[in-house]
Amino acid sequence: MDQIKQESMRNLTVMLPVALIKKAKIFAAQHDTSLSQLVRQSLESLVRENEAYQRAQERARERLSQDQDRGTMRSRYPWTREDLHDR
């Protein structure tokens, strides 16, 4: 995310309900910030959470792809399901 902050800024036009804009402006004023800063922080948070989720998914896929005993006691019982059933 630091890279995003270092990039030059660009304007973005979004269409939002008037009531939401009014409430967001009041919220921003109460928190001594701007509406732009609120939107930027919200988007950065969403992107950061999504990136963390993607990394977690990748780690999980990597662990699942490794050949290991996942509670099946494969090391204790060397046969496979196919060995037990004529297929």
Side-chain angles (χ1 to χ4, degrees):
M1 293 310 287
D2 293 331
Q3 183 181 2
I4 292 175
K5 292 179 182 180
Q6 293 174 359
E7 293 179 4
S8 62
M9 298 290 186
R10 184 178 218 171
N11 287 332
L12 171 68
T13 303
V14 295
M15 300 213 28
L16 301 170
V18 174
L20 176 60
I21 294 170
K22 287 180 182 179
K23 289 178 182 180
K25 284 182 177 181
I26 292 168
F27 181 88
Q30 290 172 340
H31 291 83
D32 197 30
T33 190
S34 68
L35 196 51
S36 291
Q37 183 64 25
L38 284 178
V39 171
R40 185 179 316 112
Q41 288 172 343
S42 295
L43 290 174
E44 286 175 348
S45 177
L46 285 171
V47 169
R48 200 171 29 251
E49 288 172 15
N50 185 61
E51 288 172 344
Y53 180 75
Q54 295 296 328
R55 285 191 304 271
Q57 275 189 321
E58 185 58 37
R59 285 191 308 270
R61 279 191 212 101
E62 190 175 310
R63 274 188 245 122
L64 286 173
S65 69
Q66 295 171 355
D67 188 29
Q68 55 183 283
D69 183 7
R70 293 184 189 84
T72 59
M73 295 191 232
R74 183 183 295 169
S75 58
R76 193 164 158 198
Y77 303 105
W79 56 82
T80 66
R81 182 174 188 262
E82 288 73 25
D83 293 337
L84 297 175
H85 301 280
D86 291 330
R87 295 195 181 232

